[in-house]
C-alpha cells in the first residue's frame, strides 16, 4: 500500500533521510518513531507529495508518487506537523473548501461534512472561526480535513503533539477507530502513543532505519538475555542462602537483591544464550520451600529499545 | 484539472481578500488618490477628461498591486498552510492561477469604482467611449502584468514586506523603462519603449488595439507566472 525504496532526501548538504526502505500493507497501522531531527517529518512529507525525494522511489499502491502525484494525493489524507490551518476560515467553510478541492460534489460534500463533524466531535464548534479554537479542537479540524474524502491512507505527523492528556486520549481514540478501516502511518516521539495505536514500529535515527518490527519482536531482538524478578517473603529463611542458591543456577549472569518491608526482591540477569530460567527457579523455590510472592520476566520496553537505538 | 477544482481555490482567495480589511483599505487609498488627481483639473481648470487619472494610475498601480499580492505565498509559507495546499490533488499551476485570478478580480473591482470618473466626464462634456474602454483595458492588463510580478515576489520570501519590495522594484522598473526613452541611446529607445508600460497603455488609451501590445501583456504575465517555484521541492 505504501512503499519506500532507498529513499534519500537532502536539504543542501544535509541528509535528512538516508536510504530508507519499508513496505506498509493495507489496513496496517505503523508508527514512525525517532528523536527530533531524525527524518520522520521529511519522510512523511515525501510520502504526501509535498517534497520530492532526492533519490529513491516512493509508491502509493501501484502508483509512483513522482509520476502520478495527483492520483497519489487523492488516496492520502495528510495531517502535517504543527497542523497548519487557515485561521480566518470557519470550521465548516474550511472543511467544505477541502472537500470541494478534493473533487467532492456539493451533495457528497454536505454528507461528508456532516459525517466528519460527527466523527471528530466538532459539532459544537462547526460555525466558529478556526482562529478561535482550542488546540484540541484545532487538531480535530486537521484530522477532519484529512479524512473528509474517506482516503484509504492516512499520514499523521505527530497527531497529539502539544495536546493535554485528555485531548491526546481523545485523538488516540479517533485514530484507533480509523485504523480499523484505513492504512495509517503516524510519526511521533511519544512512545506510549505508538504502542497504543500501531501494529508495527519503524525507528528512524539520523535518517536511517535503526529497527523495525512489531513492538514485541523489537523487544525480543533487543533483549540481552532474561531479566527475571523473584519476590520472596522475608523471615522465611536466610536471604543470603537464597542469593547463593540463585547465583549457583546455570545461565545466571548477574544477580541483585533489594530487601524492603516484608519482602525481598531478586533481579536475575540471564546470559543471552541461556534458556528460560523460570522453570529452574520455580523448582528450586519448591525444593527449598521459599514463600514466593512473585516470579516474572521483564521484556525490554519500547522506551529501552528506543533509548538503546537512538541515544 | 477540471474547473470545478479551480473554483474553490479561486473562491478561497477571493474570500481571503474580502473577509480582511486590508484589501478594502488598500483599495480605498487607491481610490482617494486617483479621485483627488481626477477632481483637481476638473474643478481648478474646468478640464473634463480622464487623462489625469490614466496618466497617474500606472505609477499608483506599482504600489497598489504589490500591496494586494504580497501576502499570497509569503503568508502560506509563514503559516505553513502551503503544505496543506500542495498536498491537495491540484496542480501547482492551478494554485498560481487561482491567486492570479483572485488578484485580477480585486483589481477589476477597484478599477470599476473609478468608472465614476469617465461617467462624470460624459455628464459634463463629451467622452470618447472607445478610448475610455481602451484605457481601462490597458490599466487592467498593466495591473495583471504587475500581479504576476507580485506573485513572483511573493514566492521568494516568507516576509510580506520583502515580497512587496521585490514586486514594487519589478513594477517600478517597468514603469521607468517607459519614461527613459529620451535619456538612452537612440538605438536602445525602441527596446525600452517596448519593455516599459507607457507605450502599450498609450496605444490602448487612444482606442488602438494592437496585437503587439496584447502580446506584451500576455507574454509578460506568462513569463512572471512561469518563474515561481513555490513548493519546498
Amino acid at each position: 500500500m505504501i512503499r519506500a525504496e532507498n529513499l534519500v532526501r537532502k536539504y543542501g548538504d544535509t541528509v535528512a533521510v538516508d536510504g530508507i526502505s519499508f513496505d506498509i500493507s493495507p489496513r496496517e497501522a505503523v508508527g514512525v518513531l525517532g528523536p527530533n531531527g531524525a527524518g520522520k517529518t521529511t519522510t512523511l512529507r515525501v510520502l504526501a507529495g509535498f517534497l520530492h525525494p532526492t533519490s529513491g522511489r516512493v509508491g502509493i499502491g501501484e502508483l509512483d508518487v513522482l509520476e502520478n502525484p495527483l492520483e497519489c494525493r487523492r488516496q492520502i489524507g495528510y495531517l502535517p506537523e504543527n497542523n497548519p490551518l487557515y485561521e480566518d476560515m470557519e470550521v465548516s467553510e474550511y472543511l467544505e473548501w477541502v472537500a470541494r478541492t478534493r473533487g467532492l460534489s456539493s451533495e457528497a460534500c454536505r454528507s461528508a461534512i456532516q459525517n466528519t463533524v460527527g466523527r471528530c466531535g466538532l459539532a459544537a464548534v462547526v460555525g466558529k472561526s478556526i482562529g478561535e479554537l482550542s488546540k484540541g479542537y484545532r487538531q480535530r479540524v486537521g484530522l477532519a480535513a484529512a479524512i473528509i474524502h474517506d482516503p484509504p491512507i492516512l499520514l499523521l505527523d505527530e497527531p497529539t503533539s502539544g495536546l493535554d492528556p485528555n485531548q491526546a486520549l481523545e485523538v488516540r481514540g479517533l485514530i484507533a477507530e480509523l485504523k480499523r478501516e484505513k492504512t495509517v502511518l503516524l510519526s511521533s516521539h511519544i512512545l506510549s502513543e505508538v504502542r497504543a495505536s500501531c501494529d508495527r514500529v519503524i525507528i528512524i535515527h539520523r535518517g536511517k532505519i535503526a529497527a523495525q518490527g512489531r513492538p514485541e519482536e523489537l523487544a525480543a531482538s533487543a533483549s540481552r538475555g532474561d531479566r527475571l524478578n523473584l519476590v520472596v517473603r522475608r523471615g522465611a529463611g536466610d536471604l543470603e542462602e537464597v542469593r547463593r542458591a540463585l547465583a549457583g543456577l546455570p545461565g545466571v549472569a548477574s544477580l541483585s537483591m533489594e530487601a524492603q518491608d516484608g519482602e525481598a526482591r531478586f533481579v536475575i540477569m540471564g546470559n543471552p544464550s541461556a534458556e528460560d530460567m523460570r522453570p529452574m527457579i520455580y523448582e528450586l523455590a519448591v525444593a527449598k520451600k521459599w514463600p514466593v510472592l512473585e516470579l516474572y520476566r521483564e521484556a525490554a520496553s519500547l522506551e529501552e529499545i528506543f533509548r538503546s537505538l537512538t541515544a | 484539472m477540471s474547473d470545478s477544482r479551480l473554483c474553490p481555490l479561486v473562491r478561497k482567495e477571493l474570500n481571503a481578500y474580502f473577509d480582511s480589511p486590508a484589501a478594502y483599505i488598500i483599495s480605498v487609498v487607491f481610490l482617494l488618490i486617483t479621485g483627488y488627481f481626477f477632481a483637481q483639473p476638473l474643478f481648478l481648470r474646468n478640464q473634463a477628461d480622464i487623462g489625469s487619472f490614466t496618466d497617474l494610475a500606472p505609477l499608483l498601480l506599482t504600489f497598489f498591486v504589490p500591496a494586494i499580492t504580497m501576502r499570497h505565498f509569503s503568508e502560506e509559507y509563514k503559516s505553513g498552510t502551503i503544505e496543506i495546499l500542495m498536498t491537495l490533488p491540484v496542480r501547482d499551476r492551478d494554485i498560481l492561477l487561482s491567486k492570479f485570478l483572485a488578484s485580477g478580480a480585486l483589481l477589476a473591482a477597484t478599477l470599476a469604482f473609478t468608472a465614476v470618473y469617465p461617467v462624470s466626464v460624459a455628464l459634463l462634456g463629451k467622452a470618447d467611449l472607445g478610448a475610455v474602454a481602451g484605457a481601462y483595458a490597458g490599466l487592467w492588463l498593466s495591473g495583471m502584468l504587475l500581479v504576476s510580478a507580485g506573485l513572483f515576489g511573493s514566492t521568494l520570501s516568507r516576509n510580506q514586506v520583502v515580497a512587496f519590495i521585490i514586486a514594487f522594484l519589478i513594477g517600478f522598473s517597468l514603469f521607468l523603462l517607459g519614461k527613459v526613452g529620451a535619456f538612452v541611446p537612440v538605438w536602445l529607445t525602441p527596446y525600452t519603449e517596448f519593455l516599459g508600460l507607457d507605450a502599450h497603455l498609450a496605444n490602448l488609451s487612444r482606442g488602438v488595439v494592437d496585437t503587439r501590445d496584447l502580446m506584451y501583456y500576455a507574454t509578460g504575465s506568462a513569463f512572471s507566472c512561469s518563474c515561481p517555484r513555490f513548493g519546498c521541492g
Side-chain angles (χ1 to χ4, degrees):
Chain A
M1 195 75 187
I2 303 175
R3 193 182 65 257
E5 288 170 23
N6 293 319
L7 175 62
V8 175
R9 169 68 203 197
K10 294 180 183 173
Y11 298 102
D13 292 335
T14 308
V15 184
V17 176
D18 191 4
I20 68 174
S21 300
F22 56 81
D23 262 300
I24 298 172
S25 312
R27 298 191 181 185
E28 192 181 14
V30 175
V32 181
L33 270 176
N36 290 332
K40 307 184 295 289
T41 293
T42 301
T43 304
L44 261 68
R45 282 179 167 174
V46 172
L47 292 172
F50 180 59
L51 295 177
H52 290 178
T54 306
S55 66
R57 288 169 60 86
V58 176
I60 300 294
E62 297 301 311
L63 302 171
D64 186 282
V65 169
L66 278 183
E67 287 165 11
N68 300 282
L70 300 190
E71 190 47 48
C72 288
R73 288 180 203 176
R74 276 186 202 107
Q75 296 188 37
I76 290 172
Y78 178 46
L79 177 71
E81 187 187 24
N82 300 327
N83 188 23
L85 295 166
Y86 291 100
E87 308 260 330
D88 295 337
M89 284 188 174
E90 288 181 1
V91 173
S92 57
E93 183 189 3
Y94 176 64
L95 294 178
E96 185 188 353
W97 174 71
V98 173
R100 295 308 298 264
T101 312
R102 285 196 169 275
L104 270 66
S105 67
S106 55
E107 204 171 299
C109 181
R110 263 195 301 277
S111 105
I113 291 174
Q114 204 173 1
N115 181 28
T116 312
V117 162
R119 202 167 190 187
C120 297
L122 288 168
V125 296
V126 78
K128 283 193 178 174
S129 168
I130 291 172
E132 294 172 13
L133 300 183
S134 67
K135 191 144 189 177
Y137 272 122
R138 288 170 58 94
Q139 205 71 5
R140 289 185 203 197
V141 172
L143 266 174
I147 63 172
I148 196 157
H149 57 298
D150 196 19
I153 296 170
L154 277 180
L155 304 178
L156 310 173
D157 197 351
E158 304 202 359
T160 60
S161 166
L163 299 184
D164 69 36
N166 291 334
Q167 292 168 334
L169 204 63
E170 286 171 12
V171 171
R172 267 178 223 146
L174 185 58
I175 294 169
E177 197 185 308
L178 290 169
K179 78 172 190 181
R180 279 188 229 133
E181 58 197 53
K182 298 182 191 302
T183 305
V184 179
L185 178 62
L186 70 85
S187 87
S188 182
H189 52 252
I190 304 171
L191 304 174
S192 57
E193 176 174 292
V194 171
R195 196 170 27 229
S197 309
C198 300
D199 309 318
R200 191 151 66 90
V201 178
I202 297 172
I203 299 178
I204 298 183
H205 184 48
R206 292 182 183 151
K208 292 177 186 288
I209 292 183
Q212 61 175 315
R214 305 180 79 81
E216 56 271 28
E217 289 170 359
L218 290 179
S221 66
S223 176
R224 295 183 184 135
D226 268 349
R227 179 189 165 98
L228 298 170
N229 279 256
L230 172 72
V231 183
V232 296
R233 193 187 305 139
R234 286 184 75 180
D238 183 1
L239 290 179
E240 200 46 46
E241 190 188 319
V242 176
R243 174 204 270 274
R244 273 199 300 275
L246 287 171
L249 288 172
V252 173
S254 66
L255 178 69
S256 65
M257 186 190 75
E258 190 184 318
Q260 58 179 14
D261 300 331
E263 58 191 50
R265 176 181 300 270
F266 295 88
V267 178
I268 306 143
M269 299 298 296
N271 288 322
S273 55
E275 289 176 13
D276 187 355
M277 292 191 295
R278 284 173 300 179
M280 273 191 299
I281 294 171
Y282 168 75
E283 282 162 17
L284 182 66
V286 170
K288 302 274 186 185
K289 295 186 179 170
W290 295 336
V292 174
L293 301 177
E294 287 178 52
L295 172 62
Y296 61 92
R297 181 162 60 178
E298 270 182 47
S301 67
L302 204 50
E303 282 79 357
E304 285 170 325
I305 300 162
F306 183 81
R307 271 200 303 274
S308 71
L309 292 170
T310 62
Chain B
M1 187 184 71
S2 68
D3 288 344
S4 65
R5 294 207 191 161
L6 185 58
C7 283
L9 289 173
V10 176
R11 207 178 311 128
K12 176 184 94 58
E13 298 301 334
L14 284 173
N15 287 346
Y17 271 138
F18 293 111
D19 287 349
S20 107
Y24 294 103
I25 292 168
I26 294 164
S27 297
V28 165
V29 169
F30 178 81
L31 292 171
L32 282 174
I33 297 172
T34 55
Y36 172 77
F37 282 97
F38 166 73
Q40 201 185 31
L42 187 71
F43 292 113
L44 294 181
R45 297 201 292 271
N46 285 332
Q47 186 185 330
D49 68 52
I50 61 163
S52 53
F53 162 64
T54 53
D55 289 348
L56 178 73
L59 178 60
L60 280 180
L61 285 177
T62 63
F63 289 94
F64 171 75
V65 172
I68 64 169
T69 56
M70 65 184 185
R71 51 165 278 280
H72 275 301
F73 286 102
S74 303
E75 186 62 26
E76 303 269 13
Y77 291 147
K78 198 173 176 186
S79 65
T81 47
I82 189 77
E83 201 168 346
I84 301 220
L85 207 51
M86 294 201 62
T87 50
L88 289 170
V90 293
R91 291 190 173 86
D92 293 1
R93 67 162 181 260
D94 295 314
I95 295 170
L96 192 68
L97 189 60
S98 67
K99 293 179 183 295
F100 184 72
L101 292 176
S103 300
L106 178 63
L107 178 64
T110 306
L111 287 176
F113 279 104
T114 66
V116 70
Y117 312 148
V119 169
S120 308
V121 170
L123 290 174
L124 295 169
K126 197 177 171 192
D128 180 347
L129 290 179
V132 168
Y136 269 86
L139 282 177
W140 187 75
L141 289 170
S142 301
M144 291 310 283
L145 178 59
L146 298 175
V147 164
S148 57
L151 289 176
F152 170 66
S154 179
T155 59
L156 299 180
S157 173
R158 54 193 291 144
N159 184 322
Q160 293 193 28
V161 176
V162 174
F164 176 90
I165 291 169
I166 292 169
F168 170 72
L169 287 176
I170 297 171
F172 195 65
S173 302
L174 291 174
F175 175 79
L176 276 185
L177 279 170
K179 305 283 184 195
V180 297
F183 307 104
V184 296
V186 178
W187 63 269
L188 207 55
T189 308
Y191 300 104
T192 57
E193 273 187 3
F194 182 78
L195 289 173
L197 289 173
D198 261 17
H200 307 285
L201 191 55
N203 284 343
L204 286 165
S205 296
R206 288 199 308 272
V208 178
V209 180
D210 189 328
T211 48
R212 280 174 299 184
D213 298 325
L214 299 181
M215 284 302 291
Y216 167 77
Y217 290 120
T219 51
S221 299
F223 177 73
S224 294
C225 281
S226 67
C227 290
R229 290 286 175 272
F230 47 85
C232 291

